[in-house]
């Protein structure tokens, strides 16, 4: 049991070492892909174990919780690792056609694997300080990936990214310190019990706000999202797809985890804050998207806006809403990563990702056009795609508790998402290329074409499948939501049977 | 849209689909549509006998959503119209767009649209219905924008997408509320419920949301303007989507929910006023057009208004009129659109003022046009006449407001006579005023089959209304008034009654107005120029939205890191201050313990260091200030009994200062740059964080973990230094993670340096 919990962290780290050793060899990329597949095998084994509702835990170094560090997998944690694995496979294959030898030589694959390890560690840890450590691992690996190649705009974006995220790191650390000061523990299951017996509920809510700030920066919510649109359009396409899928969602995951397990005693205060944050995030994000004129910048602002939906699910705090938030996160990772992958192909074919310098893809690359429409309409919440169910759950959860404003904002954001998405479709696909170019996919060469298009098709088919057969994922999300709202199983798995 | 103008650039010619793909695209959809039509026709006997089919599949059990269908008279009528007209339109388009490089795509979209529409009318589950509803929106977006290189097409497609999409989202909210109110999404169960929705406390909300969906989709005022713009699509699309099917989705929804939502004052007034106003306004605008296709587009809006108006009423007569007019309109309107397509295809124009004398060159088309046009004008013995008679009767004899309803119908019908003359008769029978762009011929049979069969349908059902009555109208009407009412009888001669008098008035005034229609057109155009134009209003709305979006994006995303940091810390300070005010608790002074002079010394050092760092213009001085702060912190550790932590702190602090100083020596000098705002911000943030810290220090400390570490460190972990044991044993995973961080930091730095070196090396020569 404990091995399977460690593997999603250890496999990518071991692969990273191998990739570092092989960074000048052309085998590095295949080792990286192999490691990614092994990571996925471990991740899905984990999902299989928890799919009947069990929660498993492993005590690192055999020091019993809460004294050592515990790794835990419940439905949410396992699902997050699995969706990380899917995204990793897609981007690893894509990288075969996107990452040049120069970037490989600089250590692309090692950084990529460390990032996967950090993300997986964050999803599996049951210790709040250990979560902080994984955040740092992610931050430094993502900074390396973002600036790899060192073009001026990359350095520029990288500095914005790392500076603002360091603020989050400091806040997170201070929050952990204050929480430890109040409860004397770092283990999250133990925290859950400790806070319940706490006499000082008010100060706990103040600490909760500090966590909202720290994770809010990480998840790029209003008004803390500056770093994301300032940096996501700069790195290599495979990298931005990986970031778009995963990074902010780790922040959202941490919010969901902490605000169901630990900070669930004063929801009238904390979750009300989250609600307003969510609504403003949805609107400002989508309006920001509408204002952009670069393929990747529009998509970057969409991330912000979509984070709002997930936080809204958490803020509403009903079983349906939490299940909706979980469903939303999982769906969004697949769709958003895919859109950035499409942006990469489109940008390569047209020679730019600036909409004014793109065009003609509908005529010359019909397959790409179709593959864009699937995640694009899914993101906007159109049926029969995964995003429809995600939106349906959130809107229904809002209406069920008469949160009329929340439902309205969710729906209005939906139509504005369509509006901003058609900006891309109109300019890059429908409008002829401004210089009369015909952006032929044939120019890419067969190998690169397969490496770039296959992952896109794979993710799009997942989106379509979830849309047509939503019940399996929805059932899983409902189970995850139920576990989050009643963490008894989680606590028992970590701390054993309590007296 | 003439096919010549939709043909792409020469590059496309090389990319013509393979002959096999072309043949498949040409015939498979036609066969599919025809097959489906036959299948639905085979269901007619059972359904007209009163059977209701409800095949059901579980779909999303956790949400109570099923993939269930509801096949009764109403849905079967729509299904027959969709597949029947669909087959003819698909047959037509393969010739109309022959040789177009994107024809397979077109056939795919059109077929997908047909199936979506079919799903919409057959769905029993409201969520399933909504899924198909949105699919029709997406497919029609692709079809309206088919001529994608033209900016006008793209704009029209987007307009339709956003308007119907926005309405669709309102409808979705309505669906969810209906589901919560009734406990089911099944239409059959909702309609069969003992308490209709109109008696539910949420009735008004549900009604508004459903109407928002239906009115946008069916182009009711004030959402009427998108439909004529949608004529940017190739003519077969207009014939299909914008006459027979998609725009009727809203009407279908209203008809479907009529038994449970209808019958209230607010229902009557909303539908009657919106429908009546839309009908009259659209028929005026129709007369105003000189483009035949646009003229027809407005008559479609008029028909939708009339159908909405009829649905606002109650009783068997109005419902019979609705069913009859629905069928009549679909037949004649699709026929007329296809006729206009033929004219355009053969002559190269569809301008009313240029066309003339086509009857000689295109006799079959002329015949179809005449039959369909007379049905539209409501002349006997065509089905349009019966529909109009029934509508008049419903208005005058059974409506609560006969003058209002009858007046609106009369106005719209009179103008339909005028439009029928302009569109269906004048181009064929008046002498040609000028030579045409192309010499007209009869179109090939594939393009004639549609208009002729549809027009003949209107004639056949007019002469033998019993056919339609038994098979289609009765089951439709019974579908929404319940089995205890009898539908009105369809007949050509219903006696010399009020409805017939109204018909005579309609003909007389209509013909008179037709004779002066050019002057009438001028009057309407003059009036239109003075009224607000919704289409430009739409553009303004879009521009305003975009301007607002850009304004707010620039206000938030300034591009300056300095602003971002300031804003972030501002939010942090404000949020913490807010939290402290709302939930904070001032600690008891006793809980914090006494503070002696010895403890205040490092505090002074820390404060002084911070002040230097903040105020100096020299990097090195600032660094030294920060170093002093760090030393102050180390002293704090010593004072509170953690000498090893203090040593670590001192080492790290010293190393950091030295390394950074080395790096900074190479940086240019800072310009003196004092920002009091930033100083205040830093002060505020520090105060807020300090407040939170004090508050926490005021709560009792739980020493479970420390006690355990002290107790277990030596006996269990075999280490005497507790901090070391924590780092390498109790919490080894953290240390491992931090090692990874350091290693990756080194790797990234190396990569940056190497990349910088190669790129500067590249730049140098």
């Amino acid at each position: 049991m404990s091995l399977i919990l460690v593997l999603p962290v250890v496999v990518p780290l071991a692969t990273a070492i191998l990739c570092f050793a092989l960074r000048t060899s052309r085998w590095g990329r295949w080792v990286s892909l192999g490691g990614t597949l092994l990571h996925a095998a471990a991740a899905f084994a984990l999902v299989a174990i928890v799919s009947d509702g069990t929660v498993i835990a492993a005590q690192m170094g055999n020091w019993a919780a809460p004294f050592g560090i515990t790794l835990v997998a419940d439905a949410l944690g396992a699902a997050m690792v699995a969706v990380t694995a899917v995204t990793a496979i897609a981007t690893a294959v894509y990288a075969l056609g996107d990452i040049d030898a120069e970037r490989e030589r600089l250590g692309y694959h090692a950084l990529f694997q460390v990032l996967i390890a950090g993300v997986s560690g964050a999803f599996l840890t049951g210790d709040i300080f250990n979560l902080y450590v994984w955040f740092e691992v992610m931050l430094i690996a993502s900074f390396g990936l973002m600036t790899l190649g060192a073009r001026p705009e990359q350095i520029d974006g990288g500095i914005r990214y790392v500076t603002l995220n360091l603020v989050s790191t400091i806040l997170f650390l201070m929050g952990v310190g204050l929480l430890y000061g109040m409860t004397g523990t770092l283990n999250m299951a133990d925290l859950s019990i400790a806070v319940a017996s706490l006499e000082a509920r008010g100060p706990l809510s103040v600490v909760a706000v500090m966590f909202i700030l720290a994770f809010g920066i990480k998840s790029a919510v209003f008004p803390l999202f500056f770093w994301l649109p300032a940096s996501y359009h700069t790195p290599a396409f495979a990298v931005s797809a990986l970031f778009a899928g995963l990074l902010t969602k780790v922040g959202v995951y941490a919010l969901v985890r902490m605000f169901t397990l630990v900070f669930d005693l004063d929801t009238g205060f904390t979750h009300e804050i989250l609600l307003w944050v969510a609504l403003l995030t949805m609107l400002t994000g989508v309006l920001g998207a509408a204002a952009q004129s670069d393929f990747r910048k529009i998509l970057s602002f969409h991330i912000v806006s979509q984070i709002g939906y997930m936080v809204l699910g958490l803020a509403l705090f009903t079983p349906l809403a939490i299940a909706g938030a979980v469903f939303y996160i999982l769906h969004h990772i697949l769709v958003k990563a895919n859109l950035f992958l499409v942006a990469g192909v489109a940008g390569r074919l047209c020679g730019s990702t600036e909409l004014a310098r793109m065009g003609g893809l509908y005529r010359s690359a019909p397959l790409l056009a179709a593959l864009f429409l699937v995640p694009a309409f899914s993101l906007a919440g159109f049926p029969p795609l995964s995003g429809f169910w995600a939106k349906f759950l959130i809107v229904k959860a809002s209406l069920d508790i008469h949160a009329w404003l929340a439902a309205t904002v969710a729906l209005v954001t939906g139509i504005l998402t369509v509006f901003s998405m058609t900006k891309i479709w109109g300019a890059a696909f429908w409008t002829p290329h401004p210089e009369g170019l015909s952006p032929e996919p044939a120019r890419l060469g067969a190998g690169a074409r397969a490496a770039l298009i296959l992952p896109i098709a794979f993710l799009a088919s997942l989106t379509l499948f979830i849309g047509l057969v939503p019940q399996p994922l929805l059932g899983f999300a409902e189970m995850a939501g139920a576990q989050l709202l009643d963490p008894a199983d989680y606590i028992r798995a970590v701390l054993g049977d309590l007296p | 849209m003439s096919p010549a103008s939709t043909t792409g650039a020469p590059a496309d010619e090389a990319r013509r689909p393979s002959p096999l793909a072309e043949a498949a695209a040409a015939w498979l959809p036609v066969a599919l549509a025809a097959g489906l039509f036959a299948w639905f026709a085979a269901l007619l006997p059972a359904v007209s006998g009163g059977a209701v089919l409800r095949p059901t599949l579980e779909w999303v059990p956790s949400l109570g959503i099923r993939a269930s269908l509801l096949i009764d008279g109403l849905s079967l009528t729509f299904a027959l119209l969709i597949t029947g007209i669909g087959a003819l339109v698909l047959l037509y388009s393969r010739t109309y767009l022959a040789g177009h490089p994107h024809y397979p795509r077109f056939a795919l979209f059109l077929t997908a649209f047909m199936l979506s529409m079919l799903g919409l009318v057959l769905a029993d589950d409201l969520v399933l219905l909504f899924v198909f509803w949105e699919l029709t929106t997406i497919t029609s977006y692709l079809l309206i924008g088919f001529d994608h290189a033209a900016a006008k097409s793209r704009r029209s497609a987007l307009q339709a997408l956003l308007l119907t999409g926005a309405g669709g989202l309102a409808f979705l909210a309505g669906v969810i509320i209906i589901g919560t109110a009734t406990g089911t999404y099944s239409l059959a169960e909702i309609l069969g419920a003992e308490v209709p929705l109109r008696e539910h406390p949420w009735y008004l909300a549900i009604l508004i949301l459903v109407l928002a969906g239906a009115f946008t989709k069916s182009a009711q005022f004030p959402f009427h303007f998108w439909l004529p713009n949608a004529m940017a699509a190739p003519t077969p699309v207009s014939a299909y989507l914008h006459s027979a099917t998609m725009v009727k989705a809203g009407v279908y929804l209203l008809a479907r929910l009529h038994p449970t939502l209808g019958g209230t004052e607010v229902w009557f007034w909303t539908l009657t006023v919106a429908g009546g106003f839309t009908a009259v306004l659209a028929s005026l605008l129709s007369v105003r057009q000189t483009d035949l296709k646009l003229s027809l587009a407005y008559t479609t809006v008029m028909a939708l208004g009339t159908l909405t108006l009829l649905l606002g009423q109650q009783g068997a007569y109005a419902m019979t009129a609705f069913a009859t007019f629905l069928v009549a309109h679909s037949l004649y309107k699709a026929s007329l659109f296809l006729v206009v397509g033929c004219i355009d295809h053969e002559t190269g124009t569809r301008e009313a003022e240029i066309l003339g004398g086509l009857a000689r060159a295109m006799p079959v088309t002329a015949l179809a046009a005449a039959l369909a046009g007379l049905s539209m004008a409501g002349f006997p013995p065509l089905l349009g006449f019966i529909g109009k008679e029934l509508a008049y009767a419903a208005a005058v004899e059974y409506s609560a407001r006969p003058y209002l309803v009858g007046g609106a119908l009369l106005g719209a019908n009179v103008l339909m006579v005028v439009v029928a003359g302009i569109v269906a008769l004048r181009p064929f029978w008046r002498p040609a005023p000028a030579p045409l762009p192309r010499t007209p011929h009869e179109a090939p049979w594939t393009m004639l089959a549609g208009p002729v069969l549809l027009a003949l349908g209107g004639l056949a059902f007019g002469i033998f209304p019993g056919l339609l009555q038994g098979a289609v109208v009765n089951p439709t009407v019974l579908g929404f008034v319940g089995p205890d009412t009898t539908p009105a009888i369809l007949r050509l001669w219903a006696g010399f009654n009020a409805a017939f008098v109204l018909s005579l008035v309609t003909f007389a005034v209509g013909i008179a107005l037709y004779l002066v229609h050019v002057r009438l057109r001028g009057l309407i155009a003059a009036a239109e120029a003075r009224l607000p134009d919704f289409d430009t209003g739409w553009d303004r709305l879009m521009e305003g939205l975009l301007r607002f979006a850009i304004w707010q994006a620039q206000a938030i995303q300034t591009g300056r890191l300095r602003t971002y940091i300031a804003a972030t810390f501002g939010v942090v300070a404000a949020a913490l201050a807010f939290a402290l005010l709302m939930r904070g608790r001032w600690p008891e002074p006793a809980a914090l313990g006494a503070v002696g002079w010895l403890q205040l010394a490092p505090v002074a050092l820390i404060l002084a260091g911070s002040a230097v760092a903040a105020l100096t213009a020299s990097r090195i001085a600032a660094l030294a200030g920060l170093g002093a702060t760090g030393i102050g912190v180390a002293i704090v550790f010593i004072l509170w009994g953690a000498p090893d932590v203090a040593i670590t702190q001192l080492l790290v602090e010293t190393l950091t200062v030295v390394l950074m100083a080395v790096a900074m020596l190479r940086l240019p000098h800072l310009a003196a740059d004092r920002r009091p705002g930033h100083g205040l911000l830093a002060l505020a943030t520090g105060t807020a964080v300090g407040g939170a810290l004090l508050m926490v220090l005021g709560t009792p400390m739980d020493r479970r973990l420390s006690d355990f570490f002290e107790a277990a460190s030596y006996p269990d972990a075999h280490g005497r230094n507790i901090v070391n044991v924590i780092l390498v044993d109790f919490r080894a995973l953290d240390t491992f993670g931090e090692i990874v961080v350091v290693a990756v930091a080194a790797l990234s730095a190396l990569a940056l340096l190497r990349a910088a070196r190669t790129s500067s090396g590249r730049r140098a020569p």
Side-chain angles (χ1 to χ4, degrees):
Chain A
M1 267 318 173
S2 80
L3 182 68
I4 194 70
L5 274 163
V6 177
L7 281 179
V9 180
V10 169
V11 168
L13 283 179
T15 315
I17 294 171
L18 275 176
C19 288
F20 182 71
L22 291 171
R23 68 189 183 283
T24 51
S25 146
R26 61 199 171 84
W27 289 103
R29 54 176 73 176
W30 300 109
V31 170
S32 178
L33 186 59
T36 311
L37 291 172
L38 278 180
H39 172 263
F44 279 94
L46 209 52
V47 169
I49 292 170
V50 303
S51 62
D52 62 349
T54 47
V55 182
I56 57 169
Q59 316 295 348
M60 296 298 100
N62 270 336
W63 293 107
F67 304 112
I69 293 172
T70 313
L71 296 188
V72 203
D74 59 351
L76 175 63
M80 294 303 293
V81 177
V83 77
T84 303
V86 172
T87 317
I89 291 176
T91 40
V93 173
Y94 191 87
L96 298 176
D98 187 49
I99 299 299
D100 52 27
E102 172 66 16
R103 282 200 171 94
E104 288 191 324
R105 215 169 47 75
L106 293 172
Y108 169 80
H109 295 297
L111 291 169
F112 172 83
Q113 292 294 339
V114 171
L115 184 66
I116 300 301
V119 172
S120 305
F123 291 145
L124 290 177
T125 186
D127 186 284
I128 185 77
F129 185 79
N130 193 237
L131 180 65
Y132 166 79
V133 172
W134 294 123
F135 269 52
E136 280 204 28
V137 172
M138 275 162 30
L139 180 59
I140 194 70
S142 54
F143 176 71
L145 284 169
M146 186 170 273
T147 53
L148 203 66
R151 281 181 295 112
E153 70 266 29
Q154 276 184 293
I155 305 281
D156 210 43
I159 286 175
R160 274 146 220 258
Y161 170 76
V162 87
T163 311
L164 292 166
N165 270 285
L166 278 174
V167 178
S168 158
T169 306
I170 295 165
L171 288 166
F172 187 6
L173 195 58
M174 289 196 299
V176 171
L178 294 181
L179 200 55
Y180 182 74
M182 295 182 75
T183 60
T185 186
L186 296 169
N187 180 294
M188 298 196 303
D190 199 34
L191 275 169
S192 177
I193 298 171
V195 295
S197 58
L198 213 56
E199 174 258 343
R201 290 283 169 87
L204 185 69
S205 296
V206 178
V207 177
V209 169
M210 199 166 254
F211 276 92
I212 292 181
L213 290 165
F215 296 150
I217 296 178
K218 280 280 166 203
S219 10
V221 298
F222 178 83
L224 301 164
F225 60 67
F226 310 105
W227 60 270
L228 193 153
S231 60
Y232 268 24
H233 60 286
T234 59
F237 294 116
V239 172
S240 65
L242 191 70
F243 287 8
L246 294 178
L247 289 188
T248 47
K249 262 58 72 182
V250 184
V252 178
Y253 164 84
L255 273 178
V256 170
R257 183 62 83 196
M258 289 302 282
F259 284 82
T260 53
L261 191 60
V262 180
F263 300 120
D264 63 337
L265 301 167
D266 190 10
T267 51
F269 179 66
T270 51
H271 289 57
E272 186 72 14
I273 296 177
L274 288 174
L275 179 78
W276 287 98
V277 165
L279 299 185
L280 289 167
T281 304
M282 288 155 87
L283 282 176
T284 50
V286 79
L287 285 172
Q292 304 306 311
S293 49
D294 179 280
F295 203 140
R296 281 202 281 184
K297 280 187 188 164
I298 293 180
L299 295 181
S300 299
F301 271 100
H302 278 157
I303 302 178
V304 173
S305 161
Q306 299 283 309
I307 295 290
Y309 282 93
M310 303 166 210
V311 177
L312 176 58
L314 173 63
L316 295 170
F317 211 61
T318 65
L320 186 70
I322 300 284
V326 172
F327 191 100
Y328 215 114
I329 296 172
L330 298 174
H331 130 79
H332 177 82
I333 291 176
L334 301 176
V335 162
K336 195 81 238 185
N338 202 12
L339 282 168
F340 272 86
L341 295 182
V342 174
V345 180
R348 278 167 152 244
L349 292 180
C350 295
S352 171
T353 55
E354 266 170 60
L355 293 180
R357 298 173 55 202
M358 301 182 78
L361 289 167
Y362 177 76
R363 214 179 63 198
S364 62
L367 178 64
L368 186 72
L371 288 174
F372 170 74
L373 284 183
V374 172
F377 274 117
S378 180
L379 190 86
F382 269 80
L385 300 158
S386 56
F388 168 64
W389 299 108
K391 190 174 71 184
F392 185 92
L393 291 167
I394 298 293
V395 172
K396 181 167 164 49
S398 307
L399 291 174
D400 280 354
I401 58 168
H402 303 190
W404 309 121
L405 181 70
T408 310
V409 171
L411 292 170
V412 169
T413 304
I415 195 73
L416 290 173
T417 308
V418 179
F419 174 66
S420 44
M421 204 57 104
T422 51
K423 230 176 138 167
I424 298 178
W425 174 256
F429 289 88
W430 264 353
T431 310
H433 195 281
E435 286 142 40
L437 248 155
S438 186
E440 302 286 340
R443 289 205 319 230
L444 290 177
R449 209 160 64 216
L452 296 176
I453 291 292
L454 272 180
I456 295 176
F458 166 62
L459 291 178
S461 57
L462 277 180
T463 306
L464 192 62
F465 176 77
I466 296 171
L468 293 174
V469 192
Q471 185 58 39
L473 187 65
L474 180 57
F476 200 89
E478 282 181 320
M479 186 175 76
Q483 284 176 346
L484 289 168
L485 282 177
D486 177 15
D489 287 342
Y490 183 96
I491 294 172
R492 200 173 308 121
V494 175
L495 297 175
D497 285 315
L498 295 170
Chain B
M1 189 47 53
S2 82
S5 65
T6 55
T7 309
D12 279 349
E13 299 302 330
R15 215 199 315 272
R16 284 284 294 276
S18 70
L20 191 68
E22 241 174 7
W27 291 109
L28 275 182
V30 181
L32 177 71
L36 282 169
F37 179 78
W39 191 70
F40 286 117
L43 291 178
L44 259 181
V47 170
S48 58
V52 175
L53 309 174
R54 285 184 59 196
T56 298
L57 260 173
E58 281 302 330
W59 191 21
V60 195
S62 352
L63 296 170
I65 296 168
R66 283 167 294 190
S68 53
L69 302 183
L70 171 64
I71 305 179
D72 64 354
L74 181 63
S75 51
L76 193 61
T77 303
F78 271 92
L80 286 167
L81 289 173
I82 292 163
T83 49
I85 298 179
L88 294 171
V89 167
L90 282 161
L91 179 71
Y92 180 95
S93 19
R94 64 165 294 270
T95 312
Y96 186 85
L97 288 173
H100 193 290
H102 287 169
Y103 186 71
R105 235 177 262 194
F106 176 85
L108 181 73
F109 297 158
L110 200 59
T111 312
F113 170 78
M114 178 183 77
L115 295 175
S116 311
M117 193 64 206
L118 203 52
L120 194 162
V121 300
L122 294 177
D124 173 53
D125 193 289
L126 272 173
V127 177
L128 182 68
L129 188 151
F130 178 76
V131 168
F132 286 118
W133 180 283
E134 295 289 72
L135 278 174
T136 62
T137 303
I138 297 177
T139 42
S140 72
Y141 172 66
L142 294 172
L143 283 166
I144 297 171
F146 183 67
D147 187 15
H148 58 93
K152 187 166 163 287
S153 295
R154 294 197 300 269
R155 173 185 179 271
S156 301
L158 181 62
Q159 189 181 50
L161 177 73
L162 290 182
L163 253 181
T164 56
L169 289 177
F171 174 42
L172 174 64
V175 166
I176 293 174
I177 297 179
I178 291 176
T180 310
T182 61
T184 175
Y185 291 113
S186 159
L187 274 168
E189 285 165 24
I190 292 166
L191 295 171
E194 271 184 28
V195 186
L197 281 172
R198 64 178 157 269
E199 284 162 28
H200 197 277
W202 296 342
Y203 169 68
L204 202 60
I206 293 172
L207 183 67
I208 291 171
L209 293 168
V210 168
L211 289 183
F215 279 16
T216 47
K217 196 84 163 175
S218 280
Q220 294 301 293
F221 182 84
F223 310 114
H224 58 290
F225 54 91
W226 71 265
L227 204 154
N229 288 335
M231 297 300 140
T235 298
V237 173
S238 312
Y240 193 41
L241 271 68
H242 307 125
S243 70
T245 56
M246 181 178 89
V247 290
K248 293 221 173 95
V251 171
Y252 168 79
L253 184 69
L254 295 179
R256 194 37 108 186
L257 294 172
H258 184 275
T260 185
L261 286 180
T264 61
E265 283 281 297
V266 49
W267 171 277
F268 168 78
W269 281 106
T270 316
L271 269 69
T272 305
V273 171
F277 186 74
T278 307
V280 175
L281 176 74
S283 40
L284 283 168
L285 290 173
S286 167
V287 174
R288 187 233 173 287
Q289 311 303 323
T290 56
D291 178 340
L292 297 184
K293 191 172 163 190
L294 218 49
S295 200
L296 282 179
Y298 278 107
T299 65
T300 305
V301 181
M302 168 272 173
L304 295 169
T306 306
L307 289 167
T308 305
L309 172 74
L310 289 171
L311 284 172
Q313 320 305 313
Q314 294 292 312
Y317 242 93
M319 296 307 112
T320 314
F322 166 78
T324 314
F325 184 63
L326 176 79
V327 176
H329 171 254
S330 295
L331 294 176
Y332 73 66
K333 188 55 60 65
S335 174
L336 283 176
F337 262 114
L338 296 178
V339 162
V340 169
C342 288
I343 295 177
D344 193 7
H345 195 255
E346 296 304 317
T347 67
T349 181
R350 28 174 227 245
E351 270 299 305
E353 292 314 303
I354 302 175
L355 290 162
L358 295 177
R360 186 182 298 272
M362 307 170 75
V364 184
T365 316
L367 179 72
L371 285 176
L374 289 174
S375 188
M376 174 159 92
F379 279 93
L382 292 138
L383 185 59
F385 172 73
I386 301 178
K388 189 186 52 173
E389 292 289 286
L390 284 166
Y392 278 148
V396 178
E397 290 167 29
Y398 298 93
S399 169
R401 307 270 164 179
Y403 290 106
L404 177 69
V405 180
L409 284 174
L410 182 66
N413 283 333
V414 163
L415 292 165
M416 280 309 100
V417 176
V418 181
V419 179
I422 299 172
V423 175
L425 301 176
R426 199 157 167 264
F428 294 96
W429 305 101
R430 75 155 174 172
L436 293 166
R438 246 177 276 163
T439 320
H441 301 280
E442 199 72 90
W445 74 269
T446 44
M447 283 178 69
L448 287 177
V452 169
L453 282 177
L454 292 167
L456 285 177
L459 180 65
F461 289 135
I463 298 174
F464 306 107
L467 285 176
L468 197 65
Q469 174 107 52
V472 169
V473 172
N474 286 358
T476 307
V477 174
L478 292 178
F480 54 101
V481 291
D484 40 333
T485 25
T486 27
I489 305 297
L490 274 65
R491 52 191 162 198
L492 280 173
W493 177 244
F496 193 81
N497 51 19
F500 187 68
V501 174
L502 279 174
S503 269
L504 291 181
V505 173
T506 307
F507 298 145
V509 180
I511 292 169
L513 284 179
Y514 170 73
L515 295 175
V516 295
H517 78 261
V518 179
R519 280 190 58 197
L520 184 61
R521 181 182 295 152
L523 287 176
I524 300 172
E528 194 194 15
R530 272 187 236 138
L531 291 174
D533 177 12
F534 281 80
D535 206 29
T536 44
W538 169 266
D539 284 337
R540 288 231 188 86
L541 181 71
M542 289 293 109
E543 280 164 26
L545 179 67
L546 210 57
R547 254 206 310 275
F548 176 68
I550 290 172
W551 169 80
Q552 80 115 38
Q554 283 171 348
I556 295 176
Q557 209 71 18
T558 56
R560 286 192 302 275
L561 181 57
R562 198 195 290 263
T563 331
Y564 297 161
I565 296 176
T568 303
F569 277 119
V571 172
V572 168
L576 283 178
F578 173 73
L580 282 168
L581 280 177
M582 300 293 290
R583 288 291 190 271
R585 209 170 57 176
W586 293 116
E588 307 277 328
L592 297 176
V595 180
W597 287 108
L598 192 59
Q599 282 101 333
L600 282 182
V603 173
L605 185 60
I606 293 171
L607 285 178
S610 314
V612 169
L615 297 175
T616 180
S618 146
R619 281 205 178 87
I620 297 294
L623 197 58
L626 285 179
T629 320
I631 290 170
V633 172
I635 296 174
V636 171
F637 285 140
I638 293 174
L639 287 177
W640 266 268
D644 38 3
V645 181
I647 291 169
T648 318
Q649 167 78 16
L650 273 176
L651 281 175
V652 170
E653 204 61 51
T654 315
L655 206 61
T656 314
V657 169
V658 170
L659 285 177
M660 284 190 65
V662 170
M664 281 180 177
L665 285 177
R666 298 189 163 209
L667 289 180
H669 275 285
L670 273 179
D673 184 17
R674 295 232 165 76
R675 287 166 196 265
H678 286 184
L680 282 177
L681 195 56
L683 214 55
T685 312
T687 311
V689 172
L693 187 63
L694 272 180
M695 179 195 71
V696 169
L697 285 175
T699 65
M701 171 76 193
D702 182 335
R703 289 185 45 89
R704 264 187 310 152
L705 255 57
S706 331
D707 292 344
F708 171 83
F709 291 144
E710 280 166 20
S713 189
Y714 187 61
D716 296 340
H718 313 293
R720 285 182 197 280
N721 183 327
I722 300 178
V723 174
N724 285 357
V725 175
I726 292 176
L727 288 178
V728 301
D729 199 339
F730 293 121
R731 301 192 63 93
L733 191 60
D734 288 342
T735 314
F736 176 61
E738 291 298 340
I739 291 170
V740 173
V741 171
V742 174
V744 171
L747 176 64
S748 306
L750 202 65
L752 271 177
L753 288 176
R754 201 177 290 168
R757 199 177 304 147
T758 44
S759 70
S760 63
R762 234 179 274 138
R763 232 177 281 134

